[in-house]
Amino acid sequence: MYKSVQFTLDDSFTIVNNHTTLIEIKKKLHEYNFVIVAGGTYFIINNYENSLMALGSDSMPIIDWLEHLNWLPSTVLSDVYEVDSDVDWRRPVLVKKEMEIIGVVTADKRIEKLEEENRQISAYFQTLAETINDSVTAVDQTGNVVYWNLTAEETYKIKKEYILGKKIGEHFSDESIVLHRILNEGRPVRGQYHRPNKDTHVLINASPIMIENKIIGGIATEHNITNIIRLNEELDSNSSLFVQKSNTFSTMVSGSPKFQEALKIAQKVAHADISIHLTGEPGAGKEMLAQAIHYGGSKAEGPFITLNCSVIPAALLEIELFGFQKENFTAEQETLQIGRIEQALDGTLYIEDIDKMPLSIQGKLLNYLVDHSFYRVGGGEKITSSTRIITSTSESMDVLLQQGNFNEQLYFHLSVITIDIPPLRTRKEDIVSLAQNYIQEFSSKYKKQVPEISSETMKQLVNYDWPGNIRELRNTIERMVLLNEKPIITEELLPENIKSKVIVKQTNTKNGEIDQQEPVLKNTEAFEIEEALRKTYGNKSAAANLLGISRGTLYNKIKEYGLN
């Protein structure tokens, strides 16, 4: 990795045989930095060692002189970058390429290279540590902090000068335990939740630094998830109520036989203390139905809490579900975190996208469903909670089980009561009533006069396929109500994506082809009147009240549309 650090070879040398006399060696040492004595074993004499020649006569063979002084032989290397621990650096080292000696390296040059390598390694490490967005802490084998990056300074509000060279435990007892554990045991830590103070939440990854199976230190990175926690709390606090708390199912009237069947099942199980699983495309109304079951059933007096597994990091999900508590918890530390199951005590916990929950946590949820008790993460106290669990997935649980993404026993536990919600595109007959309900809701929310909606606008709403289902329809109506300044909502307020897709769909319809939705699209107002008359069994006075118009207006409309 660091071969870019050039090893400087000294090529100022000459080679002599082991019978060369000392007088000749002396002369050559004035011309070259090194004299290499070859003869099976290599010996190197440095020019600054010339004065040692006085210990022998000029005519003495160099080999005799070397043996007399117990001169150390030199190591021969074939690759200067592949230096192993067997090299004896007490004498200069020879470097051979194939069969030719190409240079000499001294211990001083070797040290210079090591120092340069060390500077490069430090530069790489420091640049990496300062580039990533996580806090980085490095300690030596005794737990002293040897590195503390700028992100750590910002996260923990501790400057480098106050922590470098000091024990990590002086500032963070929990982190000291984590790093000391890996120093003692050599086992890495992944995704461990830590709350250094009541305002900061992090996930810790830590690994030991090892050389030849010996631990010489440890590094921890802390990913700050405080903003994720706060956003999640904010979303929970601002979660919408999609149904009325009284007569919840009355607001979910549908003309779709499949949806009516789903509602019947939901009403039957609402008062039973049993887990329920909902399936349906994203935005199809799973949370709305979950709320209807909660507020229309035996848990209505308790809280309704949600947990979306697709937006919470997997490492944090277990804590969000079951809570967190230090083993040595004290009130002063303020680190007790109540999980969603406890928050929903005597109420309902709606777990959205449960298939995104790691299998290990699915197993722990199964244990709770079996005996209604659990342990907080890090705690030893068994907690009992009578919380109903409603779960949902956007895919069939059978498919998830076949893919190995679902705990089999949890699957059997949840699949007893499964309610499938059909997508909005398969129940076009509901779009009119849903749109009008949302117009009423958002007009009240934004304190605006309740507008009518033009028949052409309603036609386009009905003709659109709504890939985002009820959620997309609801958001569209909210936008239109918010932007509308007239007594009637016209089609120019429709989002461009809806208008363009409706135009494409109409253009692609062949000449003479009868659209299956034509009875609905031809006149949405007539469709509404027919529905009102059907619901009131032909009672025109009751139908007029349901439609919010006078009985005289209703009679005129019936005549206009030929509905007699």
Side-chain angles (χ1 to χ4, degrees):
M1 178 177 180
Y2 299 101
K3 288 186 179 181
S4 58
V5 178
Q6 294 300 313
F7 222 136
T8 304
L9 297 178
D10 196 324
D11 58 0
S12 176
F13 64 87
T14 185
I15 303 174
V16 300
N17 63 51
N18 55 13
H19 296 294
T20 304
T21 60
L22 292 188
I23 188 64
E24 293 178 68
I25 299 295
K26 290 176 183 179
K27 293 176 182 178
K28 293 184 181 297
L29 287 174
H30 287 294
E31 300 176 29
Y32 300 97
N33 291 336
F34 303 97
V35 171
I36 301 172
V37 181
T41 301
Y42 291 98
F43 297 92
I44 299 178
I45 305 169
N46 205 317
N47 58 6
Y48 65 76
E49 295 169 321
N50 199 344
S51 59
L52 295 176
M53 296 294 170
L55 298 177
S57 64
D58 289 347
S59 60
M60 178 184 287
I62 187 63
I63 188 62
D64 294 341
W65 181 82
L66 293 170
E67 291 176 354
H68 177 70
L69 295 179
N70 291 320
W71 204 265
L72 293 174
S74 291
T75 305
V76 179
L77 296 176
S78 58
D79 185 350
V80 72
Y81 295 103
E82 301 290 338
V83 178
D84 59 37
S85 58
D86 295 332
V87 176
D88 189 345
W89 287 100
R90 290 177 295 175
R91 298 302 303 160
V93 172
L94 280 173
V95 181
K96 260 188 173 183
K97 187 174 183 181
E98 296 178 353
M99 298 303 294
E100 180 184 1
I101 296 173
I102 61 173
V104 177
V105 179
T106 63
D108 290 342
K109 294 298 182 181
R110 170 64 175 164
I111 292 171
E112 285 181 12
K113 179 178 182 295
L114 291 175
E115 289 175 342
E116 179 60 26
E117 281 187 352
N118 185 59
R119 283 191 292 271
Q120 281 205 13
I121 293 171
S122 296
Y124 273 96
F125 173 75
Q126 290 182 30
T127 302
L128 174 63
E130 297 297 345
T131 299
I132 63 176
N133 291 326
D134 294 348
S135 302
V136 177
T137 307
V139 299
D140 62 18
Q141 64 268 35
T142 62
N144 291 319
V145 179
V146 297
Y147 194 84
W148 183 258
N149 74 344
L150 289 174
T151 304
E153 286 188 350
E154 295 169 0
T155 301
Y156 298 112
K157 305 298 184 285
I158 302 173
K159 294 291 184 181
K160 292 181 181 181
E161 55 264 32
Y162 298 120
I163 194 169
L164 289 177
K166 297 180 180 178
K167 299 286 186 183
I168 185 69
E170 293 183 19
H171 293 275
F172 306 107
S173 57
D174 275 351
E175 285 193 0
S176 175
I177 292 171
V178 170
L179 287 171
H180 284 167
R181 189 196 319 164
I182 66 169
L183 290 177
N184 294 330
E185 301 176 5
R187 291 192 301 220
V189 170
R190 294 290 178 266
Q192 180 166 319
Y193 174 78
H194 176 53
R195 193 174 179 180
N197 54 59
K198 67 177 183 178
D199 297 320
T200 307
H201 306 259
V202 298
L203 294 178
I204 298 178
N205 292 322
S207 298
I209 304 171
M210 304 185 72
I211 295 179
E212 296 179 351
N213 294 322
K214 180 181 179 182
I215 300 172
I216 65 165
I219 294 181
T221 62
E222 299 94 27
H223 182 60
N224 193 339
I225 56 171
T226 303
N227 289 336
I228 296 175
I229 297 290
R230 289 175 180 169
L231 178 60
N232 193 41
E233 291 172 350
E234 184 178 337
L235 290 173
D236 288 340
S237 64
N238 294 328
S239 57
S240 300
L241 182 64
F242 298 109
V243 298
Q244 296 178 0
K245 289 188 177 182
S246 58
N247 299 320
T248 56
F249 289 101
S250 65
T251 62
M252 302 182 70
V253 176
S254 171
S256 165
K258 287 186 177 180
F259 194 68
Q260 288 177 352
E261 181 63 27
L263 288 177
K264 287 179 183 178
I265 298 173
Q267 287 176 295
K268 288 180 181 179
V269 299
H271 288 275
D273 192 6
I274 187 172
S275 301
I276 301 167
H277 184 73
L278 309 177
T279 61
E281 293 181 3
K286 298 188 288 293
E287 185 173 356
M288 178 169 36
L289 187 58
Q291 288 183 0
I293 293 170
H294 170 74
Y295 291 111
S298 58
K299 299 289 186 178
E301 298 302 316
F304 179 86
I305 303 295
T306 64
L307 176 67
N308 191 330
C309 298
S310 64
V311 300
I312 299 176
L316 185 61
L317 198 54
E318 184 178 0
I319 292 167
E320 285 292 316
L321 185 60
F322 299 108
F324 172 79
Q325 183 176 2
K326 284 186 177 180
E327 293 182 7
N328 300 318
F329 172 72
T330 62
E332 292 78 13
Q333 290 174 311
E334 299 184 10
T335 53
L336 176 65
Q337 181 174 331
I338 302 300
R340 304 296 174 91
I341 290 180
E342 282 185 85
Q343 293 175 30
L345 180 65
D346 295 326
T348 300
L349 173 61
Y350 170 58
I351 304 177
E352 189 174 357
D353 293 333
I354 192 175
D355 52 305
K356 302 299 189 299
M357 179 183 288
L359 288 170
S360 59
I361 304 178
Q362 288 184 27
K364 294 181 180 180
L365 176 61
L366 173 63
N367 293 336
Y368 168 74
L369 292 175
V370 170
D371 63 10
H372 295 286
S373 63
F374 62 93
Y375 294 92
R376 299 188 188 104
V377 176
E381 178 187 0
K382 194 171 188 179
I383 309 295
T384 301
S385 176
S386 56
T387 299
R388 163 189 262 171
I389 303 295
I390 300 178
T391 58
S392 74
T393 55
S394 296
E395 293 186 70
S396 165
M397 286 205 302
D398 293 329
V399 174
L400 295 170
L401 190 65
Q402 292 170 7
Q403 294 172 346
N405 296 328
F406 213 86
N407 181 297
E408 185 177 29
Q409 293 304 313
L410 181 60
Y411 163 80
F412 292 133
H413 200 96
L414 294 176
S415 61
V416 174
I417 301 295
T418 299
I419 303 175
D420 182 61
I421 303 175
L424 188 56
R425 64 179 173 276
T426 66
R427 46 190 180 105
K428 295 281 189 179
E429 59 268 38
D430 291 342
I431 292 176
V432 173
S433 57
L434 285 170
Q436 292 184 331
N437 286 342
Y438 294 146
I439 288 173
Q440 294 278 348
E441 175 189 344
F442 292 117
S443 295
S444 175
K445 178 179 178 180
Y446 297 114
K447 297 179 174 54
K448 301 184 74 170
Q449 189 75 25
V450 179
E452 294 183 14
I453 185 167
S454 71
S455 58
E456 182 60 32
T457 304
M458 186 66 81
K459 178 180 178 180
Q460 294 204 41
L461 291 177
V462 174
N463 201 33
Y464 182 58
D465 279 339
W466 300 106
N469 290 292
I470 290 178
R471 184 183 300 147
E472 185 182 5
L473 173 61
R474 191 171 187 273
N475 293 342
T476 298
I477 299 297
E478 180 175 16
R479 174 186 181 275
M480 293 168 68
V481 169
L482 195 57
L483 297 178
N484 184 56
E485 299 295 339
K486 301 176 182 178
I488 188 169
I489 296 176
T490 54
E491 57 188 301
E492 60 260 21
L493 289 178
L494 286 168
E496 289 301 321
N497 66 307
I498 293 180
K499 288 191 285 189
S500 62
K501 288 186 179 179
V502 168
I503 291 172
V504 169
K505 183 175 179 179
Q506 292 174 339
T507 303
N508 290 339
T509 303
K510 297 177 181 178
N511 291 332
E513 181 182 351
I514 299 176
D515 188 5
Q516 292 181 351
Q517 299 299 329
E518 185 63 25
V520 176
L521 301 178
K522 186 174 182 180
N523 197 310
T524 55
E525 190 173 36
F527 177 79
E528 279 186 80
I529 293 172
E530 287 182 323
E531 282 293 291
L533 290 169
R534 183 183 63 79
K535 291 174 184 176
T536 58
Y537 299 94
N539 186 313
K540 294 181 177 61
S541 179
N545 289 332
L546 186 63
L547 292 167
I549 59 177
S550 68
R551 189 168 55 180
T553 301
L554 177 62
Y555 278 109
N556 290 335
K557 295 289 184 182
I558 290 174
K559 184 177 180 180
E560 178 184 349
Y561 297 126
L563 299 177
N564 287 327

